[in-house]
Structure formats: C-alpha cells, structure tokens
Amino acid sequence: MTDGQEWDIDALRAAARADFATRLPLRIEGIERLAAEGQWVEARREIHKLRGSAATYGFEELGAAATFLEELLLAADGPPDPDARLRFDQALRRAQAQADQAAREGL
C-alpha cells in the first residue's frame, strides 16, 4: 500500500475465512435444493467448488465431506441409486452441521 500503510495479511486472511464460514450454510442448502430437484450435474459442480474452497480456507472436515459427496456422484454417473442417495443425504447432513457450526463460531 501507499501512504505508509501496510497490508495485514493475517487479518485479511482471517476476514476472508470468516466471510466464507458465514456463507457455508447457504451453500449447503443450495446443494440440497439441487439434489432435491434432481439436478445432479449442477449439484456435483457446486460440491466440487465447495471442496476446493474448503481446502483453501482450511475447513478440512468439510472438505472431506465434499470429497465424499463428489466421489459418490461421480461414481453414480447420473442420479444416484437409492443406497447412494441415502449415503449422499447422510453426508450432506453432516456437512450442513459442520457448516452451521463454522458459521456460528465465525471461524
């Protein structure tokens, strides 16, 4: 910066992480909505983006859940069968709980 001001990279990173955390519940809800509407390709794309963002911002458990969800949909290669759908829904509920906790804590 100019005028003698310096960037506080750690503060910027923390602010970006907190902002990401507050938006997590809505992102998971969006994935849930896409799945309910049978839009599996879009759901997988959103999960893939969530997976990358979670890794970037240090949300390891959420990233692992997103990895599981993405791999499950890739293996299904279309709408998941009933067993895969059950596992998808369970993993999505765990991801939602993690997202809600991160948002509450403002991580």
Side-chain angles (χ1 to χ4, degrees), residues 28-41:
I28 301 294
E29 289 170 16
I31 293 166
E32 187 174 32
R33 186 186 75 256
L34 290 168
E37 294 170 357
Q39 296 184 43
W40 296 106
V41 172

Side-chain angles (χ1 to χ4, degrees), residues 24-37 40 43-44 46-48 50 61-62 64-70 72-73 84-100:
L24 280 172
L26 290 176
R27 290 185 74 176
I28 301 294
E29 289 170 16
I31 293 166
E32 187 174 32
R33 186 186 75 256
L34 290 168
E37 294 170 357
W40 296 106
R44 191 199 54 75
E46 290 302 312
I47 291 165
H48 179 78
L50 177 64
E61 286 184 47
L62 186 58
T67 297
F68 176 82
L69 290 164
E70 183 178 21
L72 192 144
L73 292 182
R85 178 61 197 256
L86 177 63
R87 289 182 292 143
F88 179 90
D89 290 342
Q90 291 169 340
L92 196 59
R93 281 193 298 275
R94 285 191 302 274
Q96 184 69 57
Q98 292 167 0
D100 290 345

Side-chain angles (χ1 to χ4, degrees), residues 4 80 83 105:
D83 180 56
E105 295 174 1

